[in-house]
Amino acid sequence: MNINNAVDKPYHIKSFKEIADAPVSALNGISAKDAELLQKAFHIKTVRDLANLKYTKWASAIVALAEEEAVTEEEKAKEILLDDAIEMSFPSSDPISISSGITRIEVPPEMAPAHADHQNSHAPEKSTRK
């Protein structure tokens, strides 16, 4: 991560210790008004105060753990049911479902003439004599 993307321009040349002790408004996207509201709500004055806020720590821990959490049996069952439903709707024998990159069939499949089609194969052939 480029620290310059996280802090306002005056802090680009500062050390991490200096940034940690800087006003929370030093962070890119936090205005002086936002900093004032954070001060009133949580007594946050510095970047360090924001990082050490218990709610920030809790939220970071929850997100980190959520990303590593194993899939539950219920979630596995729902995924299997969804996969089965999709397979019934779009069977893998369907050329479109084989590759998501295919958007249309470029060459139409070779088709049997209608008179030789299996549905009409029992029909008697018509005589072409006059």
Side-chain angles (χ1 to χ4, degrees):
M1 177 180 119
N2 184 345
I3 194 65
N4 292 346
N5 294 333
V7 296
D8 292 337
K9 195 167 188 163
Y11 296 90
H12 287 187
I13 59 171
K14 304 284 184 180
S15 70
F16 288 114
K17 287 181 183 181
E18 290 173 307
I19 295 170
D21 293 327
V24 72
S25 60
L27 293 173
N28 191 12
I30 297 182
S31 68
K33 179 69 174 167
D34 296 333
E36 183 181 323
L37 293 171
L38 285 168
Q39 162 62 28
K40 285 181 182 177
F42 300 107
H43 307 291
I44 293 173
K45 294 180 184 174
T46 66
V47 172
R48 185 184 312 277
D49 292 340
L50 178 62
N52 288 328
L53 182 66
K54 69 180 178 181
Y55 305 111
T56 303
K57 289 182 176 184
W58 291 349
S60 295
I62 289 168
V63 169
L65 292 170
E67 291 173 359
E68 300 300 322
E69 190 171 37
V71 178
T72 66
E73 291 300 318
E74 181 181 358
E75 290 170 330
K76 284 180 190 176
K78 286 180 182 178
E79 185 69 25
I80 290 170
L81 289 172
L82 181 61
D83 288 347
D84 290 347
I86 290 172
E87 180 61 27
M88 288 179 5
S89 300
F90 305 100
S92 61
S93 61
D94 179 357
I96 301 300
S97 67
I98 293 172
S99 169
S100 62
I102 298 175
T103 56
R104 67 174 186 245
I105 298 174
E106 296 291 333
V107 179
E110 293 196 22
M111 299 180 69
H115 72 276
D117 181 69
H118 71 280
Q119 293 176 346
N120 297 316
S121 63
H122 63 281
E125 289 197 23
K126 293 183 179 181
S127 173
T128 56
R129 286 189 236 163
K130 291 189 176 183

